[in-house]
Amino acid sequence: MGLCFPCPTEPEPGSPSPEEKRAKLAEAAERRQKEAASRGVLDVRSVEEKRKKKEKLEKHIATSGPPPAGGLRMLIIHSGR
């Protein structure tokens, strides 16, 4: 079996510029992050809604101040349904 080498008269294929390479790497990283975020999730919208609700709840707890003298907080959650 022989080895395959390009014909000496053909020019070598150019490598992409650093900017093009960086852009491709950034796109690939972004795509991997999206795939990893939605891995095993059937309803992406539902997950986003739950995440926003959790953030809102945490923000409310942080802004509500210190707990009363008993040390317990009462949190009332209203359902959006």
Side-chain angles (χ1 to χ4, degrees), residues 6-71:
C7 196
T9 58
E10 292 179 11
E12 285 189 35
S15 63
S17 69
E19 292 83 23
E20 290 174 355
K21 194 173 186 179
R22 225 175 276 124
K24 285 184 180 182
L25 289 172
E27 287 175 15
E30 197 172 306
R31 188 173 50 250
R32 283 193 306 272
Q33 286 178 343
K34 285 182 181 179
E35 288 173 359
S38 64
R39 189 168 310 203
V41 176
L42 298 177
D43 188 6
V44 177
R45 191 176 76 188
S46 172
V47 172
E48 284 296 317
E49 289 173 0
K50 287 179 183 177
R51 183 186 57 80
K52 287 179 183 177
K53 187 175 181 180
K54 182 179 177 185
E55 287 175 356
K56 184 178 176 183
L57 180 66
E58 289 173 352
K59 184 178 178 184
H60 176 72
I61 290 172
T63 58
S64 67

